[in-house]
Amino acid sequence: MLQVRRLVSKKELKTRLGIPYSFAHIARLEAAGEFPNRIRLGACRVAWYEDEVIAWIEERAARRDADTQQLEFSF
């Protein structure tokens, strides 16, 4: 069975997934390898795989939780 991966637009990064960054900052993160790469759909349209962006968010949440746990044990 073919599994379809959902694409999210630049606007949906903010509205659906809560990414608070500007488009320019997202481009800088992509160039640095710190954000999932976009998919060019046309001359003026890009999108990202939703599952990759969600994994990126979850990775940061896990890092936050690990940092919080280290702080609790360092006192």
Side-chain angles (χ1 to χ4, degrees):
M1 185 171 169
L2 179 66
Q3 182 179 358
V4 177
R5 293 175 73 186
R6 180 163 163 60
L7 294 171
V8 291
S9 68
K10 171 174 50 173
K11 181 179 179 181
E12 289 176 310
L13 287 177
K14 284 188 179 189
T15 60
R16 288 193 63 246
L17 299 175
I19 306 292
Y21 300 142
S22 70
F23 192 55
H25 187 63
I26 290 170
R28 285 191 294 271
L29 290 172
E30 283 179 291
E34 298 177 10
F35 193 81
N37 289 324
R38 69 187 72 194
I39 300 162
R40 184 162 299 282
L41 301 174
C44 297
R45 179 68 63 176
V46 297
W48 291 261
Y49 282 124
E50 181 180 50
D51 60 327
E52 291 180 0
V53 177
I54 290 171
W56 178 83
I57 293 167
E58 289 173 348
E59 178 184 322
R60 268 129 200 88
R63 192 180 312 158
R64 177 206 60 192
D65 294 344
D67 290 346
T68 300
Q69 189 174 25
Q70 282 183 331
L71 288 174
E72 289 174 359
F73 292 118
S74 66
F75 290 108

